[in-house]
Amino acid sequence: MSGKKKTLLKVIILGDSGVGKTSLMQRFVDDKFSQQYKATIGADFLRKDLTLDNNKQVTLQIWDTAGQERFQSLGVAFYRGADCCILCFDVTNEKSLNNLTSWKDEFLVQSNISNPQDFPFIIIGNKIDVDDSKKIPSLQKKLNNIVNQLAVNANGLTYPVFETSAKDAINVQAAFEVVAKMALQQEEINDANANDASDDYNDAINIHLESEQRGCC
Amino acid sequence: MSDEHSSYGIPWNKLQLTNLDTLGFTVEECEPLTGLNVENVVNSEAVTPLMLMANDSTTLFSTIHNTASHENHLKPVALNMFLQPTESASSSACETFGDSQWNSPISEEQEELLNLLKGLRLRERKHRSTNLDTKSLQISFLKLSVYKQYAKFLQEEQQDQTDFDQESKFISKFIYPEKSSNGDLFHCKLKHFFIFSHAGKPIYSLNGSDDVIVGYMGLLTTVISSFDSEVHSLKFGNDMQMCILNKEPLIFVAILKLSTEFKSNLIAIQLNVLYDYLLSILSLTTINKSFANRMNYDLRKVLNPLDYYNLDSLALKLTYGLAPEKDLVQLDNGLNFFISVLLDRSIECAILRNTTRQRLNSILLSCKRVKQRGDSSKSHNSDTSSILSYFSNNEREHLRFLGSDLLFAYIIDGKGRLLSKLRTNPHCLGSKDLLLLFSTINSTLAYNSSNTGEDYWMPLCMPHFNSNGFLYVFIKSIDLADFVKVDGNYVERTPLSIVLVSGNKNSFFEMQKLSNYIIHMIAKKESFRNSLANELNFSYDKPSSTKDSVSSPLLPPCPVLLDHFIFRLKDLEQFAMVQHQGDPNVLKYAFFYTQLCTNESTIVNKVNKKLTIIKWQEGLSDAVVGFRLCDDKHEFYALYSQFQENESPLDITNDSSKLIKWCEKYSKRLWVGEGAVH
């Protein structure tokens, strides 16, 4: 019965203030876009059901965090128990690209993940709809540098990179599908490990009348 | 009825103030009755709780409940008649009574209180006459208008429906769980329970689908991360409260609009009951292991539909005393579970004659002495005739005790009331674990009600006994009525469950044989079987068979106005309750008892005896009066209905004191006590 239940995956979106995290989420969940900029306060929580190619049903619980410095104290509560982390930058803002490393480090420190080298990250460069003239000069080269830098400690993993536009709905759906797949994969690996470990608990605990010393009276 | 009252030898005097010794306490150990806590709902309009300490004018005070947000009834009225002494006698008494007067003659105290009560009634009537235009609010006040949302609901509904239709609509809209994705229905509910992990992943919700709740779980996780304490309460305005129980890696949250539950630690207990349930099916070790090193674990993977049903059932019973529809098959209306939790998780005992109970105890005790033949071919034979052979003392060397792994044994009836119990030294299951065990048994039986007569064998962790390990519980249910065929006597439908708790997971067949032995011992003798069934089915509705004329009646003579009473023994954490006639109105009782239990009480004397009397106006002429008296050992609760204006609250006190006396005299009928100990 439990197999029929949709797997719930917790996805965190991180990145500098104003790179379009909320817009990405809005586009993905509601297929909407708003020109107006409204800073996220604290965090936003949305969910979306997805059916993957292998007919697996997953529910994404998306935690859209505030990029502003002053909300960073909330970090621990947000990052705990995440299944996947989206690192977001703005293709017109070089600083937001350079900051990805510190967002990743921040996440790993706060979330207290047991195997950081296996944890799935995905990188999204948003706002590709804008004029090429406004984009970061030689974006591909700089992006590759950063991605390599991010993956330096990863266990041979390459982090997928997507260039999206929340405004024109380019690549958003595809990016989140990859997020779901990666998180699910991670989840299954975790389960397999846990099953190995949990084999003993059924037998380990047994209260014997003679040997048991604990009574509560 | 009137004959029975006189049999007490206490005059049925309307205006006599009860001495404390008639309340079941000796005069030496206590002070005269000097305080009363009267809460009054006048014409569904006013709440006027008044605390008074008549013998010490410096402690005279009153409290007015803050119920200003209640739109349609229960508005606060500053009505404090005791600050202006009405009669001459009471005013002088108020001023002159000091600490030195504590031991003054009881009669003066009586007079004093009597005058106060008279004053109260006068004022109450006066107030009422000015508020006669509230008739429209009185539609079935007793049932549902205890929920302030009901009046508003009625306005929105069509008026041509019957009360019954409206009530059932209200219950399904505001009370019964709603698992759909409809946000409006979700927000209607008066109470929510949520369980989720520290990562904010939902595990259980009483209402709403994932669609509705996933966002809230994230929000709650964030809010809760800023609190350190294990239990935390937050109040939102006057009509909403949130209570959080933080048991890392799990978080339990209740959000409620039920104002009766606001002012107590009741919600924390309720959340703990849900926590205990999760522990009972998983054990603390498993939960901690599951989340160790991976906070993203989704606990829902290991919960099955029965677990979700049980959680729903617990949540409903905890709050309203209502059972999910399936449970009704089991004759379980959920009230006893509700009262259990309200009374700090005590266990309800079935009222039985002492001889009957002793016999059951000795049957359970003899379990430990039943031996088994070494030969295994017979061990799968459950025929009762072969069971007797286990008793034989031949071949002593080759026999072993059948019950060597048996830790605890219980006999419970269809309502989950305890009849008899056995424990083996040094082990003991506390009442919190027992309540969990019985409710799990009850809902398991209800869930599988189509397959009666099955044997159940389930591992359960008893968190207060040992939260790391499992005990193995064998359950067999029988109906005493099924044994009619044997000798042709009619026995009313009387479901019984034999519960055997073993420490060894391989002892199923031993437990099965033991249960057959117990059933055989209970049912083999017609007279015992009949008297057991008679006593279990005894109620005021069905005056018992002729047998009872020989000995004293099983239940106390019932005061005319009495609806329901509860008597609880605190140190054993057991209680018994009696319904006068008809079926209990569960929602109403739940509301009244919660108020009785959580309202402040007045200390009657130096030995810490506490008294609470609450009056709820019902219609124009009569009222429901709740009475609570407790000390360190006992607690007595009673509800009286159709209380007329011209009657004195002192009658209630008199009636209650008689009931208390009866309960103390026949205490062995009410409690299982320690039960059998091996």
Side-chain angles (χ1 to χ4, degrees):
Chain A
M1 280 151 276
S2 49
K4 278 183 199 159
K5 207 157 246 162
K6 290 176 197 161
T7 311
L8 185 85
L9 301 169
K10 175 172 174 178
V11 178
I12 311 276
I13 309 184
L14 295 178
D16 278 8
S17 180
V19 299
K21 299 183 291 295
T22 306
S23 298
L24 275 173
M25 190 171 79
Q26 291 288 1
R27 172 60 74 192
F28 173 60
V29 174
D30 297 329
D31 206 14
K32 275 187 217 152
F33 181 78
S34 159
Q35 288 284 0
Q36 239 172 358
Y37 174 66
K38 238 168 56 186
T40 306
I41 297 173
D44 251 346
F45 311 92
L46 281 173
R47 59 153 281 292
K48 170 108 175 166
D49 290 335
L50 268 188
T51 308
L52 302 177
D53 339 324
N54 50 1
N55 241 352
K56 277 230 161 136
Q57 301 235 320
V58 295
T59 301
L60 296 185
Q61 182 187 23
I62 306 165
W63 297 48
D64 171 29
T65 63
Q68 292 173 11
E69 195 76 28
R70 63 195 172 103
F71 294 113
Q72 291 314 303
S73 62
L74 287 166
V76 185
F78 289 148
Y79 305 159
R80 201 164 28 203
D83 290 292
C84 183
C85 179
I86 301 175
L87 299 171
C88 250
F89 73 98
D90 176 351
V91 293
T92 65
N93 180 343
E94 189 162 352
K95 189 165 170 275
S96 72
L97 174 63
N98 293 332
N99 275 344
L100 290 186
T101 330
S102 57
W103 280 113
K104 184 198 166 198
D105 293 344
E106 164 91 0
F107 174 80
L108 288 179
V109 168
Q110 300 256 27
S111 63
N112 199 17
I113 301 274
S114 52
N115 301 318
Q117 67 279 8
D118 294 331
F119 190 84
F121 285 94
I122 162 170
I123 295 140
I124 290 184
N126 196 25
K127 306 193 186 175
I128 54 160
D129 51 281
V130 296
D131 259 17
D132 280 351
S133 60
K134 288 184 183 169
K135 286 185 188 160
I136 307 169
S138 53
L139 173 64
Q140 285 310 323
K141 200 180 146 204
K142 287 174 183 165
L143 182 55
N144 283 341
N145 277 343
I146 293 285
V147 171
N148 290 337
Q149 211 178 316
L150 287 172
V152 79
N153 285 324
N155 227 352
L157 276 175
T158 45
Y159 297 140
V161 180
F162 284 87
E163 289 182 30
T164 65
S165 162
K167 189 181 171 194
D168 296 345
I170 301 169
N171 253 349
V172 177
Q173 187 74 20
F176 275 94
E177 273 173 23
V178 169
V179 166
K181 275 183 207 160
M182 287 174 69
L184 198 63
Q185 216 169 16
Q186 186 66 19
E187 175 92 359
E188 280 159 1
I189 294 168
N190 272 344
D191 276 356
N193 292 341
N195 283 340
D196 296 341
S198 66
D199 269 350
D200 54 350
Y201 79 78
N202 277 330
D203 281 356
I205 308 144
N206 211 338
I207 297 172
H208 290 293
L209 192 50
E210 302 79 23
S211 60
E212 177 61 36
Q213 293 304 308
R214 266 190 68 181
C216 54
C217 275
Chain B
M1 275 322 211
S2 56
D3 287 351
E4 285 171 348
H5 288 139
S6 62
S7 70
Y8 274 107
I10 297 171
W12 190 245
N13 188 338
K14 293 275 179 211
L15 288 178
Q16 185 200 11
L17 176 62
T18 310
N19 293 344
L20 276 183
D21 56 345
T22 65
L23 291 174
F25 309 106
T26 56
V27 177
E28 292 81 50
E29 66 173 79
C30 61
E31 293 292 335
L33 181 67
T34 56
L36 256 186
N37 176 5
V38 183
E39 182 168 319
N40 216 337
V41 181
V42 180
N43 252 3
S44 339
E45 278 263 317
V47 177
T48 328
L50 296 154
M51 305 274 295
L52 59 125
M53 302 292 284
N55 61 344
D56 181 358
S57 55
T58 57
T59 59
L60 194 74
F61 64 95
S62 81
T63 52
I64 308 295
H65 277 255
N66 182 9
T67 51
S69 65
H70 296 200
E71 285 167 21
N72 297 294
H73 65 285
L74 303 181
K75 281 187 183 145
V77 172
L79 183 72
N80 189 350
M81 57 227 62
F82 300 110
L83 288 175
Q84 327 139 332
T86 45
E87 317 297 322
S88 57
S90 58
S91 66
S92 63
C94 270
E95 281 150 23
T96 56
F97 272 35
D99 276 2
S100 60
Q101 299 281 328
W102 270 100
N103 296 317
S104 57
I106 289 166
S107 58
E108 276 183 51
E109 295 287 337
Q110 289 184 353
E111 244 182 79
E112 161 78 17
L113 191 58
L114 196 58
N115 279 323
L116 289 171
L117 285 167
K118 273 184 194 164
L120 174 86
R121 286 177 49 229
L122 278 171
R123 287 298 293 262
E124 185 189 307
R125 209 170 302 154
K126 210 169 147 194
H127 175 77
R128 189 176 306 165
S129 60
T130 63
N131 279 288
L132 282 174
D133 54 332
T134 51
K135 267 185 190 169
S136 56
L137 286 181
Q138 292 177 3
I139 307 162
S140 83
F141 167 75
L142 267 186
K143 285 165 198 142
L144 287 171
S145 56
V146 292
Y147 300 107
K148 60 175 182 171
Q149 289 85 353
Y150 189 57
K152 199 178 167 200
F153 169 78
L154 283 186
Q155 286 167 10
E156 290 163 5
E157 285 291 313
Q158 298 151 322
Q159 294 301 310
D160 55 350
Q161 299 176 84
T162 62
D163 285 0
F164 179 79
D165 280 345
Q166 284 172 335
E167 280 167 9
S168 37
K169 268 191 183 170
F170 179 84
I171 290 176
S172 69
K173 188 172 176 192
F174 288 87
I175 290 177
Y176 265 119
E178 171 64 56
K179 305 286 186 188
S180 76
S181 301
N182 184 329
D184 290 342
L185 284 175
F186 176 78
H187 291 290
C188 271
K189 301 298 174 193
L190 299 180
K191 192 161 185 182
H192 293 291
F193 282 107
F194 302 111
I195 306 175
F196 49 95
S197 71
H198 261 226
K201 290 196 175 185
I203 294 166
Y204 165 79
S205 169
L206 179 61
N207 301 298
S209 65
D210 269 4
D211 290 6
V212 187
I213 63 163
V214 162
Y216 291 118
M217 298 302 98
L219 200 61
L220 284 170
T221 313
T222 316
V223 171
I224 289 163
S225 69
S226 54
F227 302 132
D228 275 341
S229 52
E230 186 178 282
V231 180
H232 201 96
S233 269
L234 291 171
K235 220 168 168 189
F236 305 96
N238 281 319
D239 52 4
M240 181 137 62
Q241 198 183 40
M242 175 160 105
C243 186
I244 300 151
L245 175 70
N246 194 338
K247 293 277 187 187
E248 193 160 3
L250 305 178
I251 297 173
F252 298 76
V253 173
I255 296 177
L256 54 142
K257 297 180 192 162
L258 295 161
S259 50
T260 43
E261 293 186 333
F262 283 0
K263 47 189 167 180
S264 63
N265 64 348
L266 205 59
I267 307 295
I269 295 176
Q270 295 176 354
L271 294 174
N272 267 302
V273 170
L274 298 184
Y275 177 53
D276 281 355
Y277 177 76
L278 282 187
L279 286 179
S280 80
I281 51 172
L282 297 170
S283 87
L284 187 61
T285 322
T286 310
I287 291 177
N288 285 339
K289 263 190 186 171
S290 304
F291 284 95
N293 293 325
R294 43 182 200 143
M295 283 301 300
N296 59 344
Y297 184 70
D298 190 352
L299 194 71
R300 293 189 296 185
K301 284 186 210 163
V302 291
L303 300 178
N304 61 39
L306 174 62
D307 295 325
Y308 284 102
Y309 172 80
N310 283 343
L311 285 168
D312 280 350
S313 164
L314 285 176
L316 264 187
K317 289 179 188 175
L318 280 173
T319 308
Y320 306 104
L322 288 175
E325 280 158 38
K326 271 186 176 175
D327 277 18
L328 296 176
V329 185
Q330 274 302 106
L331 305 172
D332 174 16
N333 56 29
L335 182 67
N336 52 355
F337 186 80
F338 174 86
I339 299 285
S340 283
V341 175
L342 189 66
L343 301 180
D344 215 9
R345 295 193 254 180
S346 301
I347 295 299
E348 189 191 1
C349 303
I351 298 180
L352 289 179
R353 285 179 200 288
N354 190 30
T355 48
T356 314
R357 176 120 50 215
Q358 291 310 325
R359 173 102 189 242
L360 289 174
N361 283 349
S362 63
I363 290 174
L364 287 186
L365 197 56
S366 66
C367 271
K368 292 295 282 185
R369 294 193 296 269
V370 179
K371 293 183 179 179
Q372 178 183 28
R373 279 183 199 282
D375 129 24
S376 61
S377 63
K378 271 208 168 182
S379 65
H380 292 265
N381 189 347
S382 61
D383 183 21
T384 45
S385 63
S386 69
I387 283 155
L388 281 182
S389 63
Y390 301 139
F391 243 165
S392 68
N393 285 326
N394 305 329
E395 306 169 69
R396 190 166 292 213
E397 320 79 76
H398 304 295
L399 300 176
R400 66 178 204 91
F401 289 111
L402 205 53
S404 57
D405 288 323
L406 182 69
L407 288 172
F408 311 103
Y410 304 94
I411 302 177
I412 57 178
D413 73 357
K415 295 173 191 158
R417 299 185 299 175
L418 182 63
L419 272 62
S420 168
K421 66 175 185 177
L422 164 80
R423 70 178 183 91
T424 48
N425 264 328
H427 303 290
C428 175
L429 270 193
S431 70
K432 288 173 186 170
D433 284 336
L434 267 191
L435 185 66
L436 189 63
L437 176 65
F438 293 169
S439 67
T440 306
I441 289 170
N442 229 347
S443 50
T444 306
L445 293 178
Y447 194 74
N448 299 313
S449 55
S450 49
N451 329 315
T452 44
E454 271 186 10
D455 295 341
Y456 292 90
W457 180 244
M458 54 183 178
L460 267 188
C461 168
M462 296 278 97
H464 299 275
F465 177 76
N466 183 342
S467 59
N468 296 316
F470 286 93
L471 296 178
Y472 299 86
V473 182
F474 177 91
I475 310 155
K476 189 176 183 78
S477 289
I478 56 160
D479 188 341
L480 276 186
D482 291 345
F483 294 82
V484 176
K485 309 159 206 150
V486 185
D487 43 20
N489 258 336
Y490 173 72
V491 179
E492 207 174 329
R493 200 173 127 64
T494 313
L496 282 186
S497 298
I498 315 292
V499 181
L500 303 172
V501 183
S502 161
N504 178 357
K505 69 171 176 178
N506 298 317
S507 56
F508 173 80
F509 291 108
E510 285 85 351
M511 295 303 128
Q512 192 181 40
K513 277 180 234 159
L514 276 183
S515 75
N516 288 330
Y517 162 77
I518 294 168
I519 291 162
H520 174 76
M521 294 298 283
I522 291 175
K524 71 170 177 184
K525 217 173 141 194
E526 185 189 348
S527 61
F528 178 68
R529 190 178 66 229
N530 287 349
S531 59
L532 179 62
N534 271 338
E535 287 168 33
L536 283 176
N537 291 315
F538 187 90
S539 75
Y540 289 110
D541 289 333
K542 296 167 272 182
S544 175
S545 61
T546 48
K547 267 185 191 173
D548 272 335
S549 57
V550 185
S551 49
S552 65
L554 181 66
L555 297 179
C558 190
V560 188
L561 299 178
L562 183 82
D563 257 3
H564 190 263
F565 77 84
I566 304 171
F567 199 57
R568 174 192 178 213
L569 195 60
K570 278 186 176 172
D571 52 355
L572 281 174
E573 294 174 311
Q574 295 177 355
F575 72 96
M577 59 186 192
V578 173
Q579 166 72 19
H580 182 195
Q581 266 170 349
D583 291 323
N585 183 334
V586 177
L587 282 176
K588 161 182 149 185
Y589 286 8
F591 175 81
F592 288 159
Y593 278 125
T594 309
Q595 289 235 313
L596 258 188
C597 208
T598 54
N599 253 57
E600 278 184 67
S601 52
T602 304
I603 293 169
V604 178
N605 53 60
K606 284 175 184 167
V607 290
N608 210 13
K609 208 146 293 188
K610 291 177 187 165
L611 173 68
T612 310
I613 296 180
I614 303 182
K615 188 173 165 192
W616 298 275
Q617 198 65 35
E618 159 189 36
L620 282 180
S621 57
D622 29 70
V624 174
V625 174
F627 180 97
R628 173 190 191 223
L629 188 73
C630 64
D631 62 11
D632 295 341
K633 289 175 184 159
H634 303 112
E635 259 184 317
F636 174 83
Y637 293 81
L639 290 180
Y640 297 86
S641 66
Q642 296 179 331
F643 186 76
Q644 304 290 319
E645 272 180 41
N646 55 5
E647 279 163 300
S648 158
L650 296 178
D651 293 348
I652 301 286
T653 319
N654 271 331
D655 288 348
S656 301
S657 67
K658 285 176 194 167
L659 287 172
I660 292 173
K661 275 206 149 179
W662 186 92
C663 288
E664 294 195 330
K665 184 176 176 192
Y666 294 103
S667 60
K668 284 183 176 168
R669 286 187 190 174
L670 301 187
W671 327 125
V672 174
E674 265 283 280
V677 181
H678 181 72

